[in-house]
Amino acid sequence: PSGDTNALELMSQAMTKWYKCEVMPHNILFTVGGAGALRIIFETFNKRFKDLPHYRVISPFPHYTLYSDNRHLLHPVDVMNTPGYRLTGTALRKSIDDAYELSKNDGNEPKVFLLSNPSNPLGTIISKIELEEIASVLRDYPDINIVIDEAYTEMTWASSSVPSILEVAPDLKDRITILRSATKAHSAAGERMAMLIN
């Protein structure tokens, strides 16, 4: 999975250009599809937060089914009650604060924010302005890791490009993990190709 050196170099150059932010070869991990990438992400956090009974993962609901795991608790941001079913900074802040309040009783602290953009299953695309608002909220919670699932980035018709939080908030780079999927981008689902950028 660490990949061929040439492939890592090419991908780092492409992703640096894509995100307008330096992505080094050692920050890329090729995975066996998005499911494999999610498994690696959650196994990593499971080890990192092994001293907690569980940890909370803040994520808009409804969510992609593979976001569930037996070591973390998914904590919802209820976007079904926001205009256009969109994630807002206000809804995100409320969800994070609610998660911290719950953790006072059960010890399961919020440690990860997980966002699919474009959304799976809703199909909504978070705009640059909305991402700036979300980034502003996340700056107030420095202990929360940020995972952005961009598997469907190339599969949009309403917009020429999908903005990324890495472009909007490069100051959060050290907390961000991005999942990309070549199987979606190149209509090659049987090939099981994805990568993580950290």
Side-chain angles (χ1 to χ4, degrees):
S2 59
D4 174 0
T5 303
N6 291 338
L8 290 169
E9 288 284 349
L10 283 171
M11 191 59 74
S12 75
Q13 291 168 19
M15 293 298 101
T16 294
K17 184 176 178 183
W18 180 284
Y19 290 109
K20 301 172 186 66
C21 178
E22 188 174 35
V23 176
M24 301 299 292
H26 67 269
N27 294 119
I28 294 173
L29 178 68
F30 295 114
T31 67
V32 181
L38 288 168
R39 183 183 55 78
I40 291 167
I41 288 169
F42 293 136
E43 283 181 0
T44 301
F45 286 133
N46 291 348
K47 288 177 185 170
R48 191 166 174 191
F49 306 124
K50 65 180 184 294
D51 295 337
L52 296 175
H54 295 284
Y55 58 96
R56 284 189 164 83
V57 174
I58 312 294
S59 189
F61 272 35
H63 61 83
Y64 179 47
T65 56
L66 290 182
Y67 289 173
S68 297
D69 181 77
N70 64 357
R71 276 280 296 126
H72 69 254
L73 305 170
L74 279 173
H75 185 86
V77 181
D78 186 8
V79 297
M80 298 307 286
N81 290 319
T82 61
Y85 311 116
R86 304 190 71 75
L87 176 62
T88 66
T90 302
L92 176 58
R93 186 179 300 279
K94 180 181 182 326
S95 180
I96 293 172
D97 289 343
D98 289 349
Y100 273 113
E101 195 61 35
L102 288 169
S103 74
K104 291 177 184 176
N105 295 322
D106 61 18
N108 302 316
E109 298 175 19
K111 291 294 184 184
V112 180
F113 169 62
L114 173 57
L115 174 66
S116 173
N117 188 33
S119 171
N120 177 3
L122 294 176
T124 54
I125 298 172
I126 297 172
S127 71
K128 183 177 179 184
I129 291 170
E130 291 167 322
L131 274 177
E132 287 170 348
E133 183 183 344
I134 291 163
S136 179
V137 170
L138 292 170
R139 286 185 186 101
D140 293 338
Y141 303 93
D143 292 335
I144 294 182
N145 298 274
I146 303 163
V147 178
I148 308 296
D149 182 347
E150 295 183 351
Y152 291 92
T153 295
E154 288 86 3
M155 299 181 76
T156 60
W157 292 272
S159 169
S160 60
S161 66
V162 176
S164 175
I165 199 165
L166 189 55
E167 294 172 80
V168 171
D171 58 300
L172 297 176
K173 181 180 178 181
D174 291 343
R175 295 167 50 195
I176 295 174
T177 299
I178 295 177
L179 185 159
R180 296 296 304 262
S181 176
T183 59
K184 311 291 189 303
H186 300 292
S187 298
E191 297 299 323
R192 309 298 303 143
M193 298 178 294
M195 74 169 171
L196 292 173
I197 304 168
N198 187 316

